[in-house]
Amino acid sequence: MLVSALVETAVVLSVSGFLIGFIAGLVGIGGGTLFVPIFWFVFPFLDIPSEIIVKSLVATSLVVYDILCKLEKWDNLLGNTPQIPTP
């Protein structure tokens, strides 16, 4: 029973992530703009209690933002920052 719930959760989140990435790439906006609205509808299907859905959305957004900031900082430390020519 637990394995089927984990598989279902993985499939739902994978499909959601694919849709978010596809739409963000198609429209040319950041995927974070689409995370909250799509997960707002996905989280109830994953049996997340309604009283913690908003907290879960905020936590998810902050974790993704934190990871991306750390990756960008690491990239900058390695010297992979695009150089802007100065006149």
Side-chain angles (χ1 to χ4, degrees), residues 7-45:
V7 169
E8 179 183 339
T9 301
V11 167
V12 168
L13 291 177
S14 297
V15 170
S16 298
F18 175 78
L19 288 174
I20 289 169
F22 180 75
I23 294 170
L26 189 66
V27 178
I29 60 173
T33 309
L34 301 173
F35 269 120
V36 174
I38 289 179
F39 283 167
W40 180 264
F41 295 106
V42 169
F43 280 175
F45 291 111

Side-chain angles (χ1 to χ4, degrees), residues 22-68:
F22 180 75
I23 294 170
L26 189 66
V27 178
I29 60 173
T33 309
L34 301 173
F35 269 120
V36 174
I38 289 179
F39 283 167
W40 180 264
F41 295 106
V42 169
F43 280 175
F45 291 111
L46 300 176
D47 295 328
I48 295 178
S50 60
E51 57 270 0
I52 65 167
I53 287 179
V54 173
K55 293 177 185 178
S56 299
L57 290 171
V58 171
T60 302
S61 296
L62 289 175
V63 167
V64 169
Y65 181 72
D66 183 54
I67 291 170
L68 291 176

